[in-house]
Amino acid sequence: MNQPAIQPDINGLFGQFGGRFVAETLMPLILELQAEYDTAKDDPEFQRQLAYFQSDYVGRPNPLYFAERLTEHFGGAKIYLKREELNHTGAHKINNCIGQVLLAKRMGKKRIIAETGAGMHGVATATVAARFGLPCVIYMGSTDIERQQPNVFRMKLLGAEVIPVTSGTGTLKDAMNEALRDWVTNVDDTFYIIGTVAGPHPYPAMVRDFQAVIGHETRAQMQEKEGRLPDSLVACIGGGSNAMGLFHPFLNDASVEMIGVEAGGKGVESGQHAASLNGGAPGVLHGNRTYLLQDEDGQIIDAHSISAGLDYPGIGPEHAWLHEQGRVEYVSATDDEALEAFQTCCRLEGIIPALESAHALAEVAKRAPKLPSDHLMVVNLSGRGDKDMMSVAHYLGEKFK
Amino acid sequence: MNPNARLAARFAALKTENRPALVSYVTAGDPDMATSQRILDGLPAAGVDVIELGMPFSDPMADGPAIQKAALRALKEGQTQAKTLEMVRAFREKDTTTPIVLMGYYNPIYRYGVDRFLTDAARAGVDGLIVVDIPPEHDDELCQPAAQHGIDFIRLATPTTDTKRLPKVLGNASGFVYYVSVAGVTGGSAPTPEKLERSVSNLREHTKLPIAVGFGIRTPEQAAIIGRFSDAVVVGSALVDCIEHAATPDEAVKGVHDLARDLAESIRECREVSEPQVS
Ligand SMILES: Cc1ncc(COP(=O)(O)O)c(C=O)c1O
């Protein structure tokens, strides 16, 4: 099989995607970060610290759980859930935050900033900032603040300052713009913890490395339970970090199918979605070249998804590359499909998934029934749905009035 | 006229006059295309020596609120890359000597198609490009192709660009060098003149190109101080604010031209006062 490039080139490019498309003011910082990360990666002490916090603070390894009732319900593939929702703070986001905050400490940075959509990355960032005694500023779109109130309160409890972003449409991309503006202004002391496999090099590769713990554990756990590799991996895609974390350690295993699920919103045909690969075109935003939702003139179009964490008009550059290579299949699930899968998971497994993760489950609902019972399917349950109670209640309440 | 020559000719002429250039920034299509064209067309008469014309982008990461809002106003009125080039073409029918530099972000150019954009821009009479989000590491994307079309690629040097990195930044630079006075977004505040003067003289050791200073320059007084040691003074947000605060299109046109006139007057005299010339 033709193996895709697993590491970006010297300019941070995966094929034509990725790179470092940032203002000159940020270039020296990004180069410094890359140098620091390259040393840290090979430093046993850094790896030891990382492993320590992953286990004793985050609670890893989390289980690879055989979802017996979902399996029965769909009557096909044998479904396993990778339980990222059991991590401290309730999502995979903290895997990356722990890694980056340790780097920030190493670099002597004094202040942490981050963007957040659903608030899960914001909460995870505020959490590690509290743990390491660093002041923390979170940029969050005003639209998202409204639909993710519990997370806003959590961040504040953790001591973070949450700055509402009203520019643009007040969602994740605007929060990222604002975080970049903060960074470019506070270059000396600030570390920007990007929450997904996007942004300028080295972020996409670095965040992926920190998230790859998901795939490595899955591999070992599947070996233990079934004595072999899984047949397929399914994960939802906002920027693509939980998916990349699960997929990456399996990229060279040709027998393992991988499916990334984008947010289809009201349907890709409707124009109201967040499916960059299925409904976008290549472009340059937030430091990298990737697939973007944009109009004919290169203006970025707002994404739409019921799930704030998937509401981003781009996707990590490595996904764009894997898409063009055909190594990973990228599909989409609509708001309605995700809500349905959300409820199925609640009722059958007693697990309330995040609306983001429910998109992955929606794809399972389509795919699993057609597969044989010896097909081993792993779904990344990237987060728990406590934060979504209000949105879901609102949605279902309206529907069943 | 070879477009490449306009910037060089303008800076050479200013050197003989012993005065810095006034470089103005407004966003194309702000507040609407017709008014924006009137603003553009009147800039040379108001004393502007080099024109930066912003290509509006939905996600201007390096800009502060003033220029962000300008871009949104322009986009709301339907401004496009093609319309921006059309404005330059119309300007060139009346003015063949004032250099125009298009400034913005990469995505609208990338989407238009790099080659097609450069061809159309050269034909319209564009002299240079400032594209904020393409560092020298990606010179093959736009900087080198621009040179082949006779369009200068103006590089930004910033307070974070250290001496080790400068040669890389200046390697393929042409037209002039834009020194970004502060680490930050447009519309912030400028640093002390002493600090700036040191940075500019440090830059001079690495380049023969004219050096423009921008970010945070708002008033004729500031412009005059900075114009004593730089080859050009860039004023953007303050001009754009005139458009935002205008109640009518006429007021917007007048506001921009009046401020430009005051700035031009102030920097015209700036080197005649006591301080010796730095060149
Ligand atoms: C639970 C959960 N899953 C997935 C995502 C999407 O991000 P990514 O695609 O980077 O995993 C988010 C983002 O907020 C999230 O909170």
Side-chain angles (χ1 to χ4, degrees), chain B residues 10 19 22 24 26 36-52 91-92 94-100 256-257 260-261 264 268:
Chain B
R10 179 57 47 107
R19 67 174 183 88
L22 174 62
S24 67
V26 289
S36 187
Q37 186 80 53
R38 285 170 62 203
I39 291 172
L40 176 65
D41 292 351
L43 289 172
V48 169
D49 302 298
V50 175
I51 295 172
E52 279 179 16
F91 175 90
R92 279 277 169 261
K94 294 168 218 133
D95 184 317
T96 56
T97 55
T98 307
I100 295 192
V256 172
H257 292 162
R261 210 168 285 117
R268 236 162 254 272

Side-chain angles (χ1 to χ4, degrees), chain B residues 2-277:
Chain B
N2 168 9
N4 221 345
R6 267 188 221 112
L7 273 168
R10 179 57 47 107
F11 277 106
L14 291 172
K15 194 161 186 155
T16 351
E17 286 179 45
N18 187 26
R19 67 174 183 88
L22 174 62
V23 183
S24 67
Y25 172 96
V26 289
T27 302
D30 175 29
D32 59 71
M33 188 169 160
T35 310
S36 187
Q37 186 80 53
R38 285 170 62 203
I39 291 172
L40 176 65
D41 292 351
L43 289 172
V48 169
D49 302 298
V50 175
I51 295 172
E52 279 179 16
L53 187 60
M55 300 173 280
F57 181 46
S58 53
D59 293 77
M61 282 94 75
D63 285 299
I67 294 178
Q68 287 174 40
K69 282 188 267 179
L72 289 182
R73 283 193 296 271
L75 291 174
K76 208 165 147 238
E77 289 297 317
Q79 190 68 14
T80 61
Q81 292 290 92
K83 286 182 180 173
T84 299
L85 293 176
E86 172 53 29
M87 284 178 63
V88 177
R89 200 199 52 73
F91 175 90
R92 279 277 169 261
E93 284 178 1
K94 294 168 218 133
D95 184 317
T96 56
T97 55
T98 307
I100 295 192
V101 173
L102 293 182
M103 179 161 186
Y105 296 82
Y106 188 27
N107 198 53
I109 296 173
Y110 182 76
R111 183 72 169 155
Y112 194 99
V114 166
D115 222 56
R116 186 178 147 232
F117 179 80
L118 291 170
T119 305
D120 292 357
R123 195 175 295 148
V126 170
D127 303 288
L129 289 176
I130 302 178
V131 182
V132 184
D133 53 355
I134 309 185
E137 279 76 2
H138 291 300
D139 266 355
D140 55 335
E141 295 273 339
L142 187 61
C143 173
Q144 287 157 10
Q148 283 160 16
H149 284 82
I151 294 179
D152 285 322
F153 199 85
I154 288 101
R155 281 262 166 242
L156 305 176
T158 74
T160 59
T161 315
D162 56 20
T163 315
K164 203 173 99 235
R165 190 170 158 75
L166 265 180
K168 177 147 198 127
V169 169
L170 298 171
N172 290 320
S174 54
F176 59 95
V177 176
Y178 188 141
Y179 184 69
V180 174
S181 69
V182 280
V185 294
T186 53
S189 51
T192 61
E194 295 73 37
K195 201 168 159 216
L196 258 179
E197 186 164 5
R198 252 178 286 131
S199 309
V200 170
S201 68
N202 178 43
L203 251 184
R204 284 208 197 280
E205 289 170 22
H206 293 88
T207 182
K208 295 242 169 317
L209 291 171
I211 297 172
V213 174
F215 276 46
I217 305 171
R218 301 189 65 88
T219 64
E221 295 71 34
Q222 277 176 307
I225 295 170
I226 290 164
R228 278 180 211 147
F229 54 82
S230 68
D231 304 304
V233 177
V234 189
V235 180
S237 295
L239 292 167
V240 168
D241 280 343
C242 296
I243 302 176
E244 180 178 356
H245 297 139
T248 62
D250 285 349
E251 230 179 276
V253 176
K254 183 169 175 329
V256 172
H257 292 162
D258 284 353
L259 177 55
R261 210 168 285 117
D262 291 347
L263 289 161
E265 206 167 293
S266 175
I267 65 167
R268 236 162 254 272
E269 290 153 11
C270 76
R271 290 186 192 157
E272 284 158 24
V273 259
S274 56
E275 253 90 352
Q277 170 211 351

Side-chain angles (χ1 to χ4, degrees), chain A residues 91-93 118 120 195-196 236-242 309-310 354 356-357 382-383:
Chain A
H92 67 292
K93 295 288 181 186
M120 297 310 272
T196 191
C236 70
I237 298 207
S241 67
N242 84 88
L310 305 184
E356 290 78 15
S357 324
S382 57

